């Protein structure tokens, strides 16, 4: 009887622990989803900026070709072009890094989703086991009462 109580208490404690783990994983999953959203937004902004810079580079190259007769003006445009190309390269690098982080975050999110599912399944199994043990406990309690009544009638 005491062993059943201990097992029931242990099962209840295990259920509470698993529920705490599930809650923690759900919070972690939510944080990862927010990070994914943030990185996706940043990715979109960087892509737009990259396209804008590519257009600017094309315009500056065209202006540089047309302004060969303007030596000083041409040198200024060349320096500006170089700066924009460096910025575009930096933006491309940042975009690649952001895409890689997004991919890694997607992988982690998938991993945590599977982990949460596994823990929920384990929790469900423990709850089913707890209910089964509770029913057995009630049956044994009834059997004990019946036995006590029979002994008392003797």
């Amino acid at each position: 009887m005491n062993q059943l109580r201990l097992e029931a208490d242990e099962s209840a404690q295990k259920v509470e622990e698993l529920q705490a783990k599930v809650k923690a994983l759900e919070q972690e999953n939510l944080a990862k989803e927010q990070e994914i959203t943030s990185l996706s937004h940043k990715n979109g902004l960087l892509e737009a900026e990259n396209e804008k810079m590519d257009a600017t580079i094309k315009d500056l190259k065209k202006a540089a070709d047309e302004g060969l007769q303007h030596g000083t003006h041409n040198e200024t445009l060349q320096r500006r072009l170089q700066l924009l190309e460096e910025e575009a390269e930096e933006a491309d690098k940042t975009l690649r890094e952001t895409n890689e982080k997004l991919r890694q975050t997607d992988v982690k999110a998938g991993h945590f989703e599977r982990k949460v599912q596994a823990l929920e399944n384990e929790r469900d199994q423990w709850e089913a086991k707890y209910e089964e043990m509770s029913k057995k406990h009630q049956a044994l309690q009834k059997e004990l009462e019946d036995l006590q009544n029979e002994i008392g009638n003797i």
Side-chain angles (χ1 to χ4, degrees):
M1 177 81 124
N2 284 336
Q3 185 177 359
L4 283 176
R5 285 184 186 147
L6 286 175
E7 286 179 13
D9 289 344
E10 287 174 1
S11 294
Q13 183 180 5
K14 183 69 174 182
V15 166
E16 289 175 8
E17 289 172 6
L18 290 173
Q19 287 173 340
K21 283 182 182 179
V22 166
K23 185 175 181 181
L25 287 172
E26 288 173 345
Q27 289 174 347
E28 187 175 332
N29 192 23
L30 179 62
K32 293 296 179 182
E33 289 175 359
Q34 290 172 347
E35 183 180 348
I36 287 170
T37 303
S38 173
L39 289 173
S40 295
H41 177 69
K42 186 176 179 180
N43 188 20
L45 291 175
L46 289 173
E47 287 177 351
E49 183 179 332
N50 189 30
E51 290 176 12
K52 187 170 134 181
M53 286 186 182
D54 285 343
T56 305
I57 288 170
K58 287 179 184 178
D59 292 342
L60 289 175
K61 284 182 179 179
K62 182 179 179 183
D65 291 338
E66 293 174 358
L68 288 176
Q69 68 274 12
H70 306 288
T72 336
H73 184 63
N74 190 25
E75 289 176 12
T76 304
L77 289 176
Q78 288 294 339
R79 280 181 288 204
R80 187 171 174 199
L81 175 64
Q82 184 179 2
L83 289 174
L84 288 173
E85 286 176 343
E86 290 172 6
E87 287 178 10
E89 288 175 8
E90 186 64 31
D92 282 341
K93 180 182 174 186
T94 304
L95 179 62
R96 284 190 299 276
E97 290 172 358
T98 302
N99 281 337
E100 180 60 25
K101 286 180 183 178
L102 178 61
R103 186 193 63 77
Q104 290 174 357
T105 303
D106 281 342
V107 168
K108 287 179 183 177
H111 170 72
F112 286 122
E113 287 174 357
R114 287 188 300 276
K115 197 170 186 179
V116 165
Q117 183 64 41
L119 286 171
E120 286 176 345
N121 288 341
E122 186 178 345
R123 181 203 62 207
D124 292 342
Q125 289 173 354
W126 278 105
E127 286 177 352
K129 188 174 182 179
Y130 174 76
E131 289 177 14
E132 180 184 331
M133 294 306 263
S134 178
K135 288 177 184 177
K136 285 182 181 180
H137 175 71
Q138 289 174 354
L140 287 173
Q141 190 72 24
K142 173 106 172 79
E143 190 177 320
L144 178 63
E145 288 175 12
D146 292 343
L147 184 63
Q148 286 175 344
N149 286 337
E150 286 180 20
I151 291 174
N153 290 337
I154 295 181

